[in-house]
Amino acid sequence: MSGVEGRVVAVTGAGGGLGREYALLLARHGARVVVNDLGGARDGTGSGHSAANAVVEEIRVAGGEAVANHDSVADPAGGAQVVADAVEAFGRIDGVVANAGILRDGAFHKMSEADWRAVQDVHVGGAFHVVRAAWPHFREQRHGRVVVATSTSGIYGNFGQANYGTAKGGLIGLIRTLAIEGARYGILANAIAPMAATRMTADIAPPEVLEKLGPAHVAPVVAHLLGDECTDSGEVIVAGGGQVQRVAWFQSKGVTFAEVPTPEQVTDRWAEITDLSGAVPGVNPVG
Ligand code: NAI
């Protein structure tokens, strides 16, 4: 096979925004798609079937194959059902795009337990529940693709997004580990940090910036990461507005203390410890 042709991919949160673009492009390139979406508001409240159903209809009208799923991926049974629906409709599951997400922004000193928890549940829990359900299939068939939606907020931090940044950073830890555990089984796990005009960013960036950031720019990158030709795993790719970049970690040469140092000795050598000249890439354990 080549690309995603004939593959079965579940895209969570595919009723709108980026997920919808992913689902449409994947279907156009011959994938059979489970379009999951709870259909709620940006903050995760509410639900409805129309968003996912409309995307399925769009795919079918264009001659593609898709089924809708309306479960919340934050719920373990809901996440498992996404995969069950793929297997029931298409007989297999080859890829998961853990894309569903919500926003509950607020400065850290005002952040409630509920807003912290809800964001972890959808982003981190949602990825765990769906990928965990797909994993035995991936291992069995010795082929699988995981793409999680991370964010520059998770990589670099962002004011007012302690909950969201933590969740998105956590997803990078997830794919780095899945890349290691999946390597023997032909399973690749990568993260996409998109930048796109959707309801999530509608009031965050000015219109002249947003108009250059159509979500369609990101979808081909996700399709590549799901495709048969992809060999990378554990990578973090930033994509938006036509630009596609790899994010990597570097470690300074640092200092090796022959004996346990005093705090003062650490202080004295701090400039050397943190100096990045001569830094080397952090080791990608599957690279
Ligand atoms: P969006 O709000 O249009 O899409 C998110 C979708 O997830 C919605 O359709 C929503 O109904 C669905 N969803 C929410 N909770 C769900 C649940 N529990 N179960 C199933 N579906 C659920 O936003 P957008 O921008 O398309 O975001 C997609 C992903 O990309 C998110 O994970 C977001 O955090 C991430 N992202 C987006 C960026 C951007 O520039 N738009 C920047 C960085 C990350």
Side-chain angles (χ1 to χ4, degrees):
M1 286 197 257
S2 74
V4 294
E5 185 152 21
R7 296 295 184 186
V8 176
V9 181
V11 184
T12 72
L18 284 154
R20 173 176 166 276
E21 292 292 338
Y22 302 160
L24 293 173
L25 185 78
L26 292 168
R28 254 197 329 271
H29 286 264
R32 294 165 286 168
V33 184
V34 178
V35 176
N36 157 268
D37 207 292
L38 178 63
R42 189 171 83 163
D43 67 359
T45 54
S47 63
H49 288 197
S50 59
N53 290 354
V55 175
V56 168
E57 187 56 23
E58 227 177 315
I59 290 173
R60 288 187 180 154
V61 165
E65 286 184 74
V67 293
N69 169 286
H70 310 104
D71 289 307
S72 170
V73 294
D75 171 28
Q81 193 58 47
V82 174
V83 174
D85 284 359
V87 174
E88 195 192 316
F90 304 122
R92 57 187 293 125
I93 177 87
D94 296 297
V96 169
V97 185
N99 166 78
I102 62 169
L103 271 191
R104 300 270 183 103
D105 288 1
F108 187 59
H109 67 282
K110 293 185 199 151
M111 188 159 289
S112 68
E113 171 72 22
D115 287 348
W116 169 265
R117 179 61 47 205
V119 168
Q120 310 310 317
D121 285 351
V122 174
H123 295 264
V124 183
F128 170 71
H129 299 138
V130 183
V131 176
R132 180 65 186 80
W135 201 256
H137 298 274
F138 291 171
R139 277 169 52 110
E140 175 97 351
Q141 70 204 13
R142 296 195 157 257
H143 175 92
R145 296 283 185 269
V146 175
V147 179
V148 301
T150 185
S151 164
T152 50
S153 299
I155 303 167
Y156 304 115
N158 194 19
F159 189 93
Q161 295 199 310
N163 51 358
Y164 183 82
T166 300
K168 292 310 204 187
L171 288 167
I172 294 175
L174 177 67
I175 58 107
R176 303 282 292 178
T177 302
L178 296 184
I180 295 166
E181 293 194 18
R184 290 172 52 200
Y185 299 96
I187 305 170
L188 309 180
N190 293 290
I192 185 94
M195 288 179 293
T198 66
R199 72 177 186 176
M200 212 176 251
T201 47
D203 52 4
I204 292 170
E208 61 275 17
V209 172
L210 291 175
E211 74 186 23
K212 299 194 178 86
L213 293 177
H217 287 294
V218 184
V221 184
V222 170
H224 167 77
L225 294 173
L226 292 165
D228 288 0
E229 287 77 8
C230 183
T231 53
D232 281 319
S233 201
E235 298 293 348
V236 179
I237 304 295
V238 174
Q243 203 166 34
V244 185
Q245 297 160 293
R246 174 187 173 201
V247 176
W249 288 258
F250 286 81
Q251 238 163 281
S252 67
K253 269 167 64 186
V255 166
T256 306
F257 292 100
E259 283 165 26
V260 177
T262 63
E264 292 76 16
Q265 286 170 324
V266 173
T267 304
D268 283 348
R269 311 228 17 215
W270 196 249
E272 248 180 290
I273 290 170
T274 55
D275 178 14
L276 285 177
S277 52
V280 292
V283 177
N284 180 344
V286 294

